[in-house]
Amino acid sequence: MPERTQTTQQDEALQRVRALQQQAAADYAAAQNPARRAAARNQHALAIAHAHDSATANTPR
């Protein structure tokens, strides 16, 4: 296997950074979608309700 040069390593690192930036931009755009925001709120409410139910069920009487 040929040894990678410093330039090649820098190019690969730059490509990874660009890919991460593109993914972050796509994730941010998706998070702004009203349907996704509503789904996240619903999921959060369900998690709170479940935690409350679990705490109530585990409380000694």
Side-chain angles (χ1 to χ4, degrees), residues 12-27:
E12 290 172 355
L14 186 57
Q15 288 175 352
R16 287 192 300 271
V17 167
R18 286 183 180 147
L20 288 171
Q21 287 173 329
Q22 289 174 344
Q23 184 62 50
D27 291 346

Side-chain angles (χ1 to χ4, degrees), residues 1-2 5 7 11 13-14 16 32-33 35 38 41 46-47 49-50 56 60:
M1 176 182 236
T5 65
T7 302
D11 289 344
L14 186 57
R16 287 192 300 271
Q32 301 312 306
N33 180 320
R41 279 193 305 274
L46 285 172
H50 176 72
T56 302

